[in-house]
Amino acid sequence: MASGNAAAARARTRLTDLMSLLPLQTPRLRLRMMRTADAGALASYRNDSDVARFQSWDLPFTAGQAVQMLARQDDVDGPTAGRWVQIALETADGTVVGDTAVGLDATGSIATLGYTVAPPWQGNGYAGEAVGALVTALFGQTSVHRMVASLDPDHRASMRVVEPLGFRYEGLARHSESIRGEWCDDLRFALLRADHLAWTERPRDRPSAVSLLPVTADNLGAVRRLETFRFQRSFVAPMEVTLAQALVPGTENGHPVRPWFRAIAADGEIVGFVLLAAAAPGNPEPYLWRFLIDRRHQRRGIGGRAIAALVAGLRSEGHLSLVCSWQDGPGGPRAFYERLGFVPTGEMDDGEVVARLAGAAFRS
């Protein structure tokens, strides 16, 4: 009997905590429960074919359906165990620019998240800002243990919302969702409470020292564990591919490729990897073949310093330039390389933009 009373008390505490979550204020948004008065805005963007492309609701999505959906949550003021709720993303002037959805299991321990931003306001980082605030509040104020997000494999913009918050890719469920009469694949991402804590406590400052180290038996394990975000996979090869290419490099223009590679260390910790195709017959300029900074250490200024160390070593060997290539697309590396002084040559190589660092940019 005592254990039953304790369980009931815990459930009541969870419910109270959940109801006290909203409204939430972020730097640009107010997160509040959606009400029937928001039905027009909800129907407007849900009925947009581009918005619905990666979502599961049926089309057309009418104002009447929006009213019915929101009326079902008029009796609650926040995320609720055993239910889904829609939470409005509202700007300072009262404009609803989208919503987040929270579905809790019956115990209130597992939260499934969704998010939608209306087309006029996409590309401003509103989804990441809102979901980030919601994740922090759910883990900080409730007993939620695990958060889940299911994404269309082609929706990289959605990956760019959850992965920078620490969500990890857990797998692909094939033909697991029937959406508007078509069986679709589903990518699964999740974040545990302990992972959230580790992610928020990861290093974020600029390291004192960045160096290039030989790969040895002692640090190979750390090198193998390096990984980018999933949404970067179309721009940066995973480590298993990179290490295989370093081991079996193949040929270029009929000549063997000479691989040169180093681990990238920040204050002694392995945080990245660089692979060159060294200058050789048939390949007169060193080519930056692979370059990766681990997901936990991006945006610390490490990449630029690693390239600077690489270029300094090439200059000391008498080289005058460095060539690289990249695939264009949202979240791609063009801005990073151009900021370092790489200039597109106008050539394309297997669908990638070829660029060169030379002249004053190479010497500086």
Side-chain angles (χ1 to χ4, degrees), residues 34-40 66-74:
M34 272 192 150
R35 300 304 187 192
T36 52
D38 301 307
V67 169
Q68 289 180 355
M69 169 187 262
L70 297 181
R72 288 195 293 267
Q73 63 180 47
D74 277 345

Side-chain angles (χ1 to χ4, degrees), residues 148-167:
V148 180
S150 297
L151 314 179
D152 187 291
D154 293 330
H155 200 189
R156 289 191 177 87
S158 191
M159 297 179 212
R160 296 201 302 274
V161 172
V162 294
E163 287 195 274
L165 300 176
F167 281 73

